[in-house]
Amino acid sequence: MSDGSRRDHWIGFDLGGTKMLAQVYDADLKPIGRERKRTKASAGIDSGLDRIVESIRDAVEDAGIDPGRLAGIGIGCPGPVDMEGGLLLNPPNLGWSRVPIGERLAEEFSVPVRVLNDVDAGLYAEYRYGAAKDTRCAIGVFPGTGIGGGCIYKGEILHGSHCTCMEIGHIQIMPEGPLCGCGRRGCLEAVASRLAIAANAAKAAYRGEAPHLNDAAGTDISSIRSGVLSAAIEADDKTVRDIVREAARHIGIAVAGVIHILSPDVVVLGGGLVEAMPDLFIDQVSRSARKRVMSAFKDTFEVVRSQLEDDAVTKGAAAWAQHKIPQPDATVADAVGV
Ligand SMILES: [Zn+2]
């Protein structure tokens, strides 16, 4: 393994709406170099792609390896992607459309590239190394600004032919509910994301029903982060607790629907909200889902907390690339025909 010319290193990339992270992994998927940059999506697609390329180059330099040691790249992207075509379709918060990100990176680094959804990447890491290790079917639900979903079925990411799937955040929970960022009404993320919870909590603070929250963050939605909500509940703001419970109950309703369709062994909950209030979320989502499934499904699934931290998306993307890209047992010398 310590052969200094073997193509056995991997890039795992996490493309976010505000930040991007490139990590270099060795053959055993241990991280050995990294680079983080701001995404600056408003500067346009070309400049965005240039920043991605630059981040990978900088991470490779940080790792101290020759770029010729790379065997492949896995990149986790927000929103739906075309995995076969390596296209980023229309990511929320980036304002880009149909970006041939796979082709660009393959040309730039002369290695195969796998493009996947970031939630799928994070869940794949949980499947390989964390809370969903070796399960037959794992569902992931990650409430944040939106609500991401993913599914690993028999070791593969469940996806459509032209588009990734498991957009659990856009399951309609309330037919006449609040407007969602996607333009439709009553989606799960319009009623249960951190943004939805923060908006309801801000109203409660304004009405004088959440004094601790009001002291800590006032009524500014952007200041009402997961940690602030959790601290307000700890300090006995009952209204805030009820708001968060209600959101978790709604997540459980969507999860019950998914359980009827896929019968997962495990439902992994993750993201900032869950990290800040793990017991509340696991308990409420689990109860709400169990109450709503047919009796045959009641004891077939577990609701658990994600185990991997910040680097789950890069690690999952690299592991996915390693899983999907045929590994030539070749050295750099072989590849250049020496
Ligand atoms: Zn929606």
Side-chain angles (χ1 to χ4, degrees), residues 169-170 180 182 184 187:
H170 300 283
C180 178
C182 74
R184 295 172 309 121
C187 295

Side-chain angles (χ1 to χ4, degrees), residues 99-317:
V99 182
I101 198 165
E103 194 181 284
R104 171 73 196 274
L105 293 180
E107 271 170 18
E108 203 75 46
F109 294 96
S110 308
V111 291
V113 178
R114 291 296 177 270
V115 179
L116 64 165
N117 169 268
D118 54 1
V119 181
D120 285 332
L123 183 63
Y124 188 69
E126 294 288 344
Y127 165 76
R128 291 283 298 274
Y129 308 101
K133 201 159 188 308
D134 299 332
T135 49
R136 179 177 186 276
C137 176
I139 300 295
V141 183
F142 296 81
T145 311
I147 297 184
C151 174
I152 308 297
Y153 188 80
K154 292 185 175 176
E156 299 293 323
I157 292 171
L158 193 72
H159 64 92
S161 49
H162 299 291
C163 188
T164 46
C165 57
M166 289 304 294
E167 291 289 348
I168 195 167
H170 300 283
I171 290 180
Q172 198 183 39
I173 292 288
M174 293 180 184
E176 304 301 327
L179 263 179
C180 178
C182 74
R184 295 172 309 121
R185 276 193 182 279
C187 295
L188 178 64
E189 74 174 43
V191 299
S193 64
R194 188 189 60 76
L195 209 54
I197 292 171
N200 288 332
K203 280 186 230 165
Y206 183 82
R207 288 194 296 255
E209 294 166 358
H212 294 100
L213 181 77
N214 199 30
D215 286 349
T219 56
D220 175 12
I221 294 178
S222 58
S223 306
I224 304 179
R225 313 284 313 172
S226 306
V228 173
L229 290 164
S230 160
I233 293 172
E234 289 283 309
D236 212 25
D237 273 351
K238 293 195 173 57
T239 308
V240 178
R241 189 193 59 208
D242 291 346
I243 289 167
V244 176
R245 274 192 185 159
E246 183 67 359
R249 189 178 71 84
H250 280 117
I251 293 171
I253 294 174
V255 165
V258 175
I259 286 168
H260 283 136
I261 307 296
L262 291 166
S263 188
D265 316 300
V266 65
V267 177
V268 181
L269 300 183
L273 272 172
V274 175
E275 289 304 311
M277 295 163 271
D279 296 342
L280 190 158
F281 270 93
I282 301 293
D283 182 57
Q284 287 293 314
V285 171
S286 174
R287 262 204 269 180
S288 167
R290 239 171 267 281
K291 211 163 92 184
R292 291 174 172 82
V293 293
M294 294 167 72
S295 59
F297 294 91
K298 269 200 184 349
D299 301 316
T300 59
F301 66 95
E302 249 189 300
V303 179
V304 300
R305 175 185 177 181
S306 65
Q307 286 176 4
L308 304 174
E309 312 234 321
D310 290 353
D311 295 348
V313 173
T314 55
K315 183 145 188 165

